[in-house]
Amino acid sequence: VQLQASGGGLVQAGGSLRLSCAASGGTFSSYAMGWFRQAPGKERGFVAAISWNGGSTGYADSVKGRFTISRDNAKNTVYLQMNSLKPEDTAVYYCAADRYGIISRATMSREDEYDYWGQGTQVTVSS
């Protein structure tokens, strides 16, 4: 499975970006998907996750109410709509796929739950 993240860029604080992650080579519609991010000098951390059919979603507290994860199984793509961006959202954003398909609050934030990873896209929020 190959995951290709895109949509990153430079935006002013308060602005919006939409990240996309296109999957190929696997059965995307059966996978749960997640977004993680890594800021300079920090460990990679969980941002959001969505179940195989979009019926369940979960978010890190730091992005809840500002970010929305969604998916289009017909296009093999997962999205992360990011609104009200803050300088602390600056990071490389990674998408990941979990073959299990179901998300749970106990495990969706764990990197070892995900089987495939994309290469990352840079998001920079200026103050």
Side-chain angles (χ1 to χ4, degrees), residues 4-82:
Q4 181 73 41
S6 62
L10 174 64
V11 64
Q12 288 189 332
S16 298
L17 280 175
R18 189 177 80 156
L19 305 183
S20 300
C21 175
S24 61
T27 53
F28 175 82
S29 60
S30 69
Y31 301 152
M33 298 295 296
W35 286 97
F36 289 74
R37 66 186 180 184
Q38 186 168 21
K42 296 187 177 181
E43 293 186 352
R44 189 160 58 185
F46 171 75
V47 176
I50 188 168
S51 62
W52 67 277
N53 64 351
S56 298
T57 57
Y59 298 92
D61 288 343
S62 59
V63 307
K64 204 171 292 184
R66 299 188 298 122
F67 290 11
T68 303
I69 189 171
S70 62
R71 66 189 298 158
D72 185 339
N73 285 347
K75 296 182 178 179
N76 287 355
T77 302
V78 64
Y79 304 98
L80 186 68
Q81 177 67 44
M82 305 186 296

